Amino acid sequence: MSFRVDVWEGGRIALFSLRANRLRTVLTTVGIGVGVCTLLAIVGIIQGINQSFADQLAQIGANTLQVSKFPWTMRGDWWEYRNRKNLSADLVEPILQASEHVVAAAPLYYDRVEARFLERRMASVTALGTTADYAIISSFTVDKGRFLTEADVDNRAQVAVIGAELARTLFPGLDPVGHRIILGSKPYRVVGSLEAKGTILGENQDTVVVVPFRTFQADFGKRNSPNIAVSVDSPDNVLKVQDQLTVALRRERRTPPEAKDDFAINRPEQLANMYAQLTGALYGAATGVGLITLLVGGIGIMNIMLVSVRERTREIGVRRALGAKKRTIIIQFLMEAASVSAVGGTLGTVVGLGLAKTVSFITPLAATVEPLTVAGGVGFAAMVGLLFGIWPAARAANLDPVEALRHD
């Protein structure tokens, strides 16, 4: 009961003191607020980037693999990868037969072309040559018309499925299905358009045009090594399928037993690991800057509280002479420091969140802050106030009452 009375009285006196010294309170609040603002803005941008990256990896799919000539994360001599024998679409069938857990596989040929319809055009469109099975593997969803069919591939049909942004640019206000577009110098009939997907790992998925891979080879050449996308029935079987594909591909490509793999089997998890390695040190340094700023704000609180103790020495002596315990004095000054920090932390949190959102609005960087982070920001600011208020509070409580009463 006595402790609760001390807390109540300490809080009341602390608030009275803060109101009586408004300028000092404002300056202290600004100091801690700047620290929390900096920390929250950095954390908000970091969390936003992490969430954006996680969302993009989720669109690739945790149950997918991609066989390619080059690994997504290169280690060693680039020329060693460059000199590997190219992959080919003929590997799709052995991949399908390599494991009962493989649901679908499709070759992926890429090129950059210009797309035109009448007087409208779009440069640097991603032309993707593949098969009908890519609709199973990818997260593409048809908005109008249809996707490719096996007949399109077998007959080398001059048909195309276009991305949402390409459809808006070339066919504003029109249904693109049935119209003919020019890709490079070749005419293609649009048989479908895709729903918007946005950007995945820096690649705009809405400026893609999907054509049958045999048509792609005839129109744009077959010298490039394709990737082969593979869909697995469950994320739990991905590693098992990777081992089975390694055996099948080495056998199909006649790789000698003593030789290293001359292909790469890539998983989205590898990108996540690479991302963590590349950004871990950067995020640590950025968070460290925010913590240092908050530390400076805490030191400011301590200095101002020490000044407050010196100015109120006689008041402390009077209270001690009237029977106030050391605990009561300590609680009063700790609550005063924590209150200033909590107010500064709240204002800093609001400004920090606004700054993070502003950065995400005017730059490509995403920003999002979890509710727990907001509560943690205010709580951490109050804890900083308590931590840096311990010495001033202890100094106030340990003043000799007689000497304090003599203080002018």
Side-chain angles (χ1 to χ4, degrees), residues 181-196:
I181 61 174
I182 305 298
L183 299 180
S185 60
K186 303 293 183 178
Y188 283 80
R189 180 170 57 89
V190 178
V191 295
S193 63
L194 303 170
E195 291 185 358

Side-chain angles (χ1 to χ4, degrees), residues 45-338:
I45 294 172
I46 289 173
Q47 289 182 347
I49 294 173
N50 286 344
Q51 186 60 51
S52 176
F53 187 78
D55 291 342
Q56 292 180 57
L57 283 186
Q59 291 191 58
I60 296 176
N63 62 327
T64 60
L65 296 169
Q66 200 164 119
V67 182
S68 64
K69 180 177 178 179
F70 296 91
W72 285 347
T73 56
M74 290 191 189
R75 293 184 177 88
D77 186 2
W78 180 84
W79 285 101
E80 179 182 341
Y81 301 117
R82 175 67 180 80
N83 293 330
R84 287 176 172 178
K85 183 173 62 175
N86 284 348
L87 304 180
S88 72
D90 296 335
L91 292 173
V92 169
E93 193 59 35
I95 287 174
L96 289 171
Q97 297 175 359
S99 173
E100 60 182 1
H101 300 294
V102 174
V103 176
L108 305 175
Y109 290 86
Y110 295 96
D111 201 356
R112 293 284 185 179
V113 300
E114 181 187 68
R116 289 181 288 133
F117 174 70
L118 300 179
E119 300 302 319
R120 302 185 187 95
R121 62 185 63 207
M122 177 179 282
S124 195
V125 171
T126 301
L128 169 61
T130 187
T131 65
D133 282 346
Y134 191 58
I136 302 172
I137 303 168
S138 72
S139 54
F140 283 140
T141 302
V142 174
D143 180 34
K144 297 177 181 178
R146 63 173 177 83
F147 199 70
L148 303 179
T149 65
E150 290 298 332
D152 293 331
V153 177
D154 294 339
N155 297 328
R156 292 185 172 85
Q158 298 288 132
V159 296
V161 181
I162 62 176
E165 186 175 336
L166 183 57
R168 287 193 300 269
T169 301
L170 298 187
F171 302 97
L174 296 176
D175 183 348
V177 176
H179 292 282
R180 290 191 177 274
I181 61 174
I182 305 298
L183 299 180
S185 60
K186 303 293 183 178
Y188 283 80
R189 180 170 57 89
V190 178
V191 295
S193 63
L194 303 170
E195 291 185 358
K197 281 189 63 177
T199 300
I200 297 180
L201 303 180
E203 288 291 331
N204 189 344
Q205 303 298 301
D206 297 331
T207 59
V208 68
V209 55
V210 186
V211 302
F213 88 89
R214 296 190 190 281
T215 311
F216 181 101
Q217 290 177 320
D219 289 348
F220 305 110
K222 57 178 70 176
R223 292 176 299 172
N224 293 337
S225 178
N227 294 346
I228 299 176
V230 181
S231 177
V232 182
D233 57 6
S234 168
D236 297 333
N237 294 324
V238 167
L239 292 178
K240 179 180 179 180
V241 170
Q242 180 177 354
D243 293 337
Q244 293 171 329
L245 292 186
T246 298
V247 174
L249 288 170
R250 287 180 65 91
R251 181 177 60 246
E252 194 69 23
R253 289 166 66 82
R254 294 181 173 83
T255 305
E258 69 280 2
K260 294 188 294 186
D261 294 340
D262 58 350
F263 54 87
I265 301 178
N266 302 294
R267 307 190 313 273
E269 177 187 341
Q270 295 169 324
L271 290 178
N273 293 337
M274 180 180 67
Y275 173 81
Q277 292 174 4
L278 291 175
T279 58
L282 175 63
Y283 291 164
T287 305
V289 170
L291 291 175
I292 290 172
T293 308
L294 195 56
L295 176 64
V296 172
I299 293 173
I301 286 179
M302 183 175 64
N303 289 335
I304 290 180
M305 291 302 297
L306 287 171
V307 171
S308 179
V309 170
R310 187 175 62 186
E311 290 179 348
R312 294 157 61 189
T313 299
R314 185 174 179 81
E315 172 197 328
I316 295 168
V318 171
R319 295 193 65 204
R320 290 297 308 280
L322 293 175
K325 299 178 181 179
K326 286 185 178 183
R327 182 182 67 183
T328 304
I329 303 299
I330 289 175
I331 290 175
Q332 173 193 335
F333 279 90
L334 285 181
M335 291 194 68
E336 188 173 327

